Amino acid sequence: MRRLFPVTDETAAQASNGAPGADVTDREWGLSELAEVYAYPAADGPWLRANMVSTLDGAGQHEGRSQPISGPADMRIFGALRALADVVVVGAETVRQEGYRPARAREEFATARTRAGQGPAAVIAVVTASLDLDFSLPLFASPLVPTLILTGAQAPADRIAAAEKAGARVVVAGDGAGVDPARAVHALAELGHTRLLAEGGPRLLGQFVAAGVLDELCLTLSPMLVAGEAQRISGGPSVKVPQHFELVSLLEEAGFLFGRYRRT
């Protein structure tokens, strides 16, 4: 893997023996190095980052799933980002399509998480209006830390009861049936979760973008073409004025590009 765009002049100089911005010899980066590159910035309140993958022709998935357009380095970064987060926020449809499982404890990050006051693994928070979920799945039946359900005040009472019976914690973050994105961010922060990671799907990311609460996007550009009618990484109504993000870092491995963009 090469660092094509430095995180800072200092780290780039260290990696390239004094030449800021120079490429680093191709190799596989370790989890500790990725943790440094993707460390959450110091912030007074919650920081919401999203992690998504897109093909060269703009598809955020193939046949309904992101796995076919991913790769080993992308999955390594996926794991590192989860290990850095307090909570992983994901839409119910993505849980169903991707077969979501609980986040697992990573020995490589255990000491760092303890020092940061974090639990052994990130909490998974599922955003859903209907709570139409299979509560017998491991995500709910056997997580290392209890799964959260983010929903609205008008969510079906019987489904809320079923979620709580399964061991999930239900958090109301909206006055209607659905979730208000800004309220969801603040509700998670009130629970002590300030390092937030959204993993999709496109509709949920679009809601965060439209609400103006997305601070950072970690985008994998996959060297693949799929054509067809696949969704982009972000869906829903367009924003009135395009939001500008600046490039913070750019990594490369096996033709995949891994960009980190921060809201200006």
Side-chain angles (χ1 to χ4, degrees):
M1 182 178 288
R2 292 176 291 169
R3 191 198 307 263
L4 302 178
F5 186 87
V7 177
T8 66
D9 286 343
E10 180 181 357
T11 55
Q14 292 172 351
S16 56
N17 294 322
D23 285 358
V24 178
T25 303
D26 283 344
R27 61 184 176 85
E28 181 180 296
W29 281 27
L31 291 176
S32 61
E33 294 172 301
L34 292 175
E36 181 180 355
V37 171
Y38 287 98
Y40 277 83
D44 294 332
W47 184 270
L48 174 63
R49 69 165 36 141
N51 181 36
M52 303 292 284
V53 58
S54 170
T55 63
L56 296 175
D57 51 354
Q61 53 190 229
H62 180 61
E63 296 183 345
R65 300 176 64 238
S66 61
Q67 189 276 332
I69 63 174
S70 181
D74 183 44
M75 295 309 299
R76 202 179 315 127
I77 291 175
F78 175 90
L81 292 178
R82 277 194 164 198
L84 294 170
D86 296 334
V87 61
V88 175
V89 188
V90 62
E93 184 61 23
T94 298
V95 168
R96 290 187 285 263
Q97 290 288 339
E98 303 279 356
Y100 255 62
R101 299 184 66 82
R104 61 187 180 91
R106 304 287 291 269
E107 183 179 352
E108 305 92 330
F109 293 92
T111 299
R113 289 189 66 87
T114 299
R115 289 175 177 171
Q118 296 173 300
V123 176
I124 305 294
V126 183
V127 178
T128 175
S130 66
L131 283 81
D132 181 16
L133 297 161
D134 182 355
F135 294 119
S136 68
L137 293 176
L139 179 60
F140 303 102
S142 56
L144 186 61
V145 289
T147 295
L148 295 176
I149 299 288
L150 295 172
T151 192
Q154 297 179 19
D158 61 329
R159 298 305 297 165
I160 291 177
E164 293 177 336
K165 183 178 180 180
R169 179 175 181 178
V170 178
V171 178
V172 174
D175 295 328
V179 169
D180 176 271
R183 281 185 60 178
V185 169
H186 289 296
L188 290 171
E190 289 177 355
L191 293 176
H193 306 313
T194 57
R195 305 173 188 89
L196 314 180
L197 173 63
E199 292 182 347
R203 184 169 57 182
L204 178 62
L205 178 56
Q207 292 172 350
F208 283 135
V209 171
V213 295
L214 184 69
D215 298 297
E216 180 182 317
L217 174 65
C218 298
L219 177 64
T220 296
L221 184 61
S222 171
M224 300 181 190
L225 296 168
V226 299
E229 302 295 331
Q231 286 182 294
R232 298 182 300 143
I233 64 167
S234 180
S238 63
V239 296
K240 293 182 178 179
V241 179
Q243 299 176 17
H244 188 268
F245 282 62
E246 63 179 351
L247 182 64
V248 179
S249 66
L250 183 62
L251 308 177
E252 183 274 342
E253 182 173 310
F256 285 77
L257 294 178
F258 305 94
R260 182 181 177 191
Y261 299 85
R262 187 177 300 172
R263 181 171 54 183
T264 57

